[in-house]
Amino acid sequence: MTTHRKKVGLVSLGCDKNRVDGEKLLYEVAKHYDITSSIEEANVLIVNTCAFLGSAREEAINTVFEYLPYKQDGNLEKIIMTGCLPQKFVADMFDDFTEVDAFLGTKDGSLITQAIDEVYKGKRLNLVGKGKELGCSRIVTTPGHFAYLKISDGCNNHCTYCLIPKIRGKFVSRPIESLVEEAKGLGEVEELILVAQDTTRYGEDLYGEIRLVELIRALSSLETVKHIRLMYCYPELIDDKLIAEIRDNEKVIKYLDIPLQHASDRILKLMNRKGSYASYVALVNKLKEEIPSLVIRSTFIAGFPTETEEDVITLENFLREAKLMNAGFFAYSREKDTPAYKIEGQIKESVKKQRVKRLYAVQQAIVEEITSSLVGKTFDVVCDGLDYDKQLFYGRAYFNAPDIDGKVYLRSDGIINEGETYKVKIISATSYDLYGEIENET
């Protein structure tokens, strides 16, 4: 069967690191097929999956079933599943999940066009572990003014709740030269967002020493890169050299994402995390002292096995002391094949949800205090688009990362263009979002 005119669509689930993998798949597919963003037009659908949590695996499977009607009654002919879910669970899925025509893992992108060709010959394929990673070229799916750059893959930290090392493998950095080449290929970007499982460990495996600062400097030298944002920086590896680079490099956004996960020393030890309440407070205080304008984001897990009321209170106290502007809270997910799965003293789901809600309430009070202090001040805000429900444009100041933080809603009688930056005076604030007017306009 001739397939060169087939139309291929992609749904990428999970994190922004997965998005980058999906963008590289699209580039490879586009060499031989047409790309479409419309499920009504697609003949082949690639579902690029996450498997970090049970809920992510459920989402991936539900996504396939969501699009099955298009396979039964529409133009859709083949479904291919890629990424983390097949990488870890293909042996459990292949025989029963017959709705999927081919499975590829996290490092099998080189086989994507072969997979499409073969399924059109009537074959059903398990290609997990048989391919190679793709190169630097991508079809960017974010708005044109920002893009993600995945600087490494895998993880060596072995947190007791986490499946990532068993899905993605050991920590592997990409060479600086390769990353610079990829960044050049993205064209002019207002914001280049560096992502990895552990950004601060960059270069340790490749160069025998951490070279994140050197990478930042190499990317900063590109005229096409206006700003750089750092995500997923492990606290124990944030040293004086990195702090100085964030402070002194004008292209580095004064924003740092630091996944802390808890603040109780006992729970942190059970998680196999290297920090402590005292070390986290010291780090936050040092960062704020060295870089007064710095905004810190973090994530925390509630309901880890054996977590007590005292542990929750400790985390609440830390939040009040650290006063982070951005934080996310997640209920612990019990995952087989992780050490935490076997810990006695698992917490009931209802209790986990209650604790997440409780932590969000503490954080909300902190954020309301912070956002209210911003009223009357002026910030550079990049426009990300139009909220049709609110009938307002929205964007982000430096303290907002895409998708995970609050927004700045823009009011203007003039024309606002997506991707352009405006001076915006904040006129009001809610729990997480800000409302402002572009300066010099009524």
Side-chain angles (χ1 to χ4, degrees), residues 13-15 17-18 21 47-53 56-57 60 81-90 93 104-108 128 150 153 163-164 166-169 197:
L13 306 173
C15 66
K17 298 175 284 292
N18 250 25
D21 293 343
V47 182
N48 189 37
T49 63
C50 174
F52 177 50
L53 301 174
R57 299 192 290 275
M81 181 175 282
T82 64
C84 293
L85 185 56
Q87 181 69 36
K88 180 77 170 82
F89 297 100
V90 69
M93 300 169 61
L104 286 76
T106 58
K107 298 177 174 64
D108 301 314
V128 174
K150 189 169 79 168
D153 205 353
L163 277 172
I164 292 299
K166 301 208 172 161
I167 297 173
R168 290 280 180 175
Q197 301 299 336

Side-chain angles (χ1 to χ4, degrees), residues 211-280:
R211 289 198 180 176
L212 179 59
V213 168
E214 286 76 9
L215 173 62
I216 292 170
R217 290 173 181 170
L219 294 170
S220 297
S221 69
L222 298 177
E223 292 184 2
T224 53
V225 174
K226 292 188 177 181
H227 299 100
I228 296 171
R229 188 184 295 273
L230 301 178
M231 305 294 292
Y232 315 119
C233 296
Y234 273 60
E236 62 270 17
L237 295 178
I238 298 174
D239 57 13
D240 290 344
K241 183 178 179 182
L242 179 58
I243 293 172
E245 186 67 20
I246 297 169
R247 181 192 63 217
D248 300 335
N249 188 329
E250 292 183 357
K251 285 196 173 183
V252 177
I253 296 171
K254 307 319 178 209
Y255 175 107
L256 204 54
D257 176 88
I258 312 173
L260 298 175
Q261 309 301 11
H262 214 282
S264 161
D265 292 358
R266 187 182 70 83
I267 295 296
L268 287 167
K269 186 174 182 180
L270 284 174
M271 289 177 167
N272 194 34
R273 303 285 294 186
K274 307 301 187 292
S276 66
Y277 188 108
S279 68
Y280 286 174

Side-chain angles (χ1 to χ4, degrees), residues 261-325:
Q261 309 301 11
H262 214 282
S264 161
D265 292 358
R266 187 182 70 83
I267 295 296
L268 287 167
K269 186 174 182 180
L270 284 174
M271 289 177 167
N272 194 34
R273 303 285 294 186
K274 307 301 187 292
S276 66
Y277 188 108
S279 68
Y280 286 174
V281 168
L283 176 61
V284 169
N285 289 340
K286 182 175 184 177
L287 286 167
K288 290 181 176 181
E289 181 180 346
E290 291 286 336
I291 316 170
S293 61
L294 184 75
V295 166
I296 301 171
R297 179 180 216 283
S298 192
T299 49
F300 299 91
I301 295 172
F304 190 81
T306 79
E307 184 186 62
T308 64
E309 174 68 13
E310 183 181 355
D311 295 319
V312 180
I313 292 172
T314 297
L315 180 48
E316 289 176 329
N317 290 338
F318 173 79
L319 293 172
R320 293 187 182 102
E321 188 169 359
K323 293 188 181 299
L324 307 178
M325 184 172 183

Side-chain angles (χ1 to χ4, degrees), residues 8-40:
V8 181
L10 178 137
V11 175
S12 194
L13 306 173
C15 66
D16 37 44
K17 298 175 284 292
N18 250 25
R19 179 192 282 267
V20 173
D21 293 343
E23 291 175 345
K24 293 184 178 184
L25 284 172
L26 282 177
Y27 181 86
E28 187 69 14
V29 168
K31 294 178 182 178
H32 304 280
Y33 309 100
D34 294 332
I35 301 297
T36 180
S37 59
S38 169
I39 186 60
E40 287 82 6

Side-chain angles (χ1 to χ4, degrees), residues 166-207:
K166 301 208 172 161
I167 297 173
R168 290 280 180 175
K170 294 181 179 179
F171 182 84
V172 179
S173 303
R174 290 182 51 205
I176 290 176
E177 296 79 11
S178 172
L179 291 168
V180 169
E181 179 186 351
E182 183 170 327
K184 286 180 180 178
L186 298 173
E188 187 167 312
V189 288
E190 179 72 26
E191 186 175 317
L192 185 65
I193 306 170
L194 305 193
V195 295
Q197 301 299 336
D198 180 356
T199 306
T200 28
R201 197 174 295 276
Y202 174 78
E204 185 180 62
D205 58 308
L206 193 59
Y207 303 109

